[in-house]
Amino acid sequence: MWDDLKSLAATRDGTRIDALFAQDAARAETFSVRHDGMLFDYSKTLIDADIRAALIAVAEGAGLAERRDAMFSGAKINETEGRAVLHTALRNLDGAPVEVDGADVMPEVLDTLSRMEALADEIRSSEITDVVNIGIGGSDLGPKMGYIALSPYADGPRCHFVSNVDGADIADTLKLCKPETTLFVIASKTFTTIETMTNAKSAWAWLEEKGVSTEGKFVALSSNKAAAGEWGIPEARVFGFEDWVGGRYSMWGPIGLSLMIGVGPANFRAFLKGGMEMDTHFRTAPLEQNMPVMLALVGMWHNQVLGQATRAVLPYDNRLSRLPAYLQQLEMESNGKGVSMDGANLACNSGPVVWGEPGTNGQHAFYQLIHQGTRVVPCEFMVAAQGHEPELAHHHSLLIANCLAQSEALMRGRDLDEARGKVAGKFGGDELERQARHRVFPGNRPSTTLVYPKLDPETLGRIVALYEHRVFVEGVILNINSFDQWGVELGKELATALGPMVTGEQAADGKDGSTRQLLAFVHKNAR
């Protein structure tokens, strides 16, 4: 499969993206997908009609449609853990039945949503001024990203997010809060996550130290009601979710409670609605006009076929500052695998390295490498047609101009003749040639652009669901399980064993020389 696509790519060797536009006046429209007011433009890539057809054939051959339908129907497609994959049910506002093991899960999903809304309204109308979400991984990245993204709609208590077990994280956060008016949301499905529970205990101790009662100060987002009850958290303030919701896909349900409190239930429902609309599009649109499918296939063309192993996510929207980190987990934890569903080694590279920064900041940091470095880095731009500050519309116009200019510059580049013209009046002879070469841009570097009218709750829902389904499509084609994460377990096990060695309660017997040396340094300098 990949060899055939690589052979096809070889026949395009030497082709330039800008030349494809010269050959086809309708290229931009032909190689774009529109849905619900959003435009995904992938025309600034080397993909042509034949390549697109070949990529779609790969998706069809992998049984994408069948696997997609199996996911939405509640089949246990997470085979290594024997679980269904139904984060989509959390945004199924229409309540159409979704069955797992013969039971419709939607009544409980909608009941939980109603309970969340009731508590959110209660908190928003109370004396609570600050909400501290304590979680890690998917229990932190999603709601934190969403809260920053939807800050123009945040009219409730201030929301803070603590994830790192580094004491600096919770200490710096608590400095911003008053104990009398702060609520803590503990987000841990098992109520045993070491980082989360360590921070939660410190929050409890902080309240006691300040002489404030802990009663009513904690909410649990956990399926372990018994453990939450032992903490003194009443069942009415415990919101569980099933094992068919993976952590990095969980912000649509109880894990999104802090976001709901911050922006209000109506805006949270709009966020869910946007995700549900993208689900419908993903299930019904032909593959060529299916935004998640084409987003995935473009990425796989760059990574699996052309060997471009990293992907830069570049939102020209400051409020999407945490989206690259969110997508980093979504992609790299989901598809960072080395074996296929049957346990055999993968015959190709799996998911790419995902990274990025918002807006024009990156232009003054790493764009130098993107434009003139020796490695090609496919870029994914995104920008809104309008901002939330009409009095600063000139700022937004400049932002859009920069976004579009960067994608154009990556494609066009600047040849040596043009570079000579830039410095001809300043230098001559050999020095002219040397200076000109420093100003050459190779160009022919691919990018995509996602444009949307405005970053509102519904649009954010569409964007998050779009990328979730992109990861799913990639996983199906690679024949890997995108919904487990065994790779995080070994480090956790070793950290548990190292704990007593760090405190000096246990000797570092059996550890390698490097680890023993590092422990000795810590012991010497921790006193």
Side-chain angles (χ1 to χ4, degrees), residues 243-447:
D243 63 9
W244 36 257
V245 179
R248 56 192 174 277
Y249 298 91
S250 63
M251 69 180 293
W252 309 96
I255 292 299
L257 179 62
S258 56
L259 174 60
M260 179 188 283
I261 293 170
V263 304
N267 283 319
F268 190 81
R269 274 192 177 254
F271 167 69
L272 298 182
K273 183 174 181 288
M276 183 178 67
E277 290 167 349
M278 184 57 70
D279 292 342
T280 300
H281 169 74
F282 179 50
R283 298 179 74 175
T284 60
L287 299 190
E288 186 175 311
Q289 289 302 316
N290 193 305
M291 196 174 287
V293 171
M294 292 313 304
L295 181 62
L297 293 179
V298 171
M300 299 191 82
W301 168 254
H302 292 142
N303 181 17
Q304 277 75 24
V305 181
L306 300 183
Q308 296 157 355
T310 79
R311 175 185 298 154
V313 178
L314 307 170
Y316 276 65
D317 196 319
N318 203 57
R319 293 189 173 104
L320 288 177
S321 61
R322 293 299 293 169
L323 183 65
Y326 176 81
L327 296 180
Q328 188 176 73
Q329 185 206 23
L330 181 65
E331 179 86 44
M332 296 174 71
E333 194 166 82
S334 296
N335 290 345
K337 310 293 171 59
V339 297
S340 60
M341 294 289 277
D342 61 5
N345 290 335
L346 285 183
C348 65
N349 290 324
S350 57
V353 175
V354 177
W355 57 284
E357 282 289 328
T360 56
N361 295 15
Q363 295 176 198
H364 296 267
F366 51 79
Y367 277 46
Q368 169 62 43
L369 182 146
I370 291 175
H371 281 289
Q372 290 186 309
T374 57
R375 298 177 180 89
V376 174
V377 179
C379 295
E380 298 184 354
F381 296 96
M382 55 182 71
V383 68
Q386 59 177 299
H388 285 277
E389 293 77 26
E391 71 280 8
L392 298 174
H394 59 294
H395 282 249
H396 198 74
S397 295
L398 184 58
L399 184 74
I400 294 173
N402 272 272
C403 179
L404 302 186
Q406 291 299 324
S407 67
E408 183 183 7
L410 284 166
M411 176 184 70
R412 287 182 52 188
R414 175 184 289 159
D415 63 22
L416 185 57
D417 285 340
E418 187 179 355
R420 288 193 191 101
K422 289 287 182 181
V423 294
K426 299 178 182 178
F427 306 100
D430 291 344
E431 183 63 10
L432 170 62
E433 196 70 11
R434 187 178 75 86
Q435 290 285 349
R437 285 185 58 79
H438 282 283
R439 290 160 173 79
V440 170
F441 289 66
N444 209 35
R445 302 200 165 187
S447 69

Side-chain angles (χ1 to χ4, degrees), residues 15 22 66 172 188 216 246 292 306 315 336 356 360 404:
T15 301
E66 294 80 6
D172 289 347
S188 169
L306 300 183
T360 56
L404 302 186

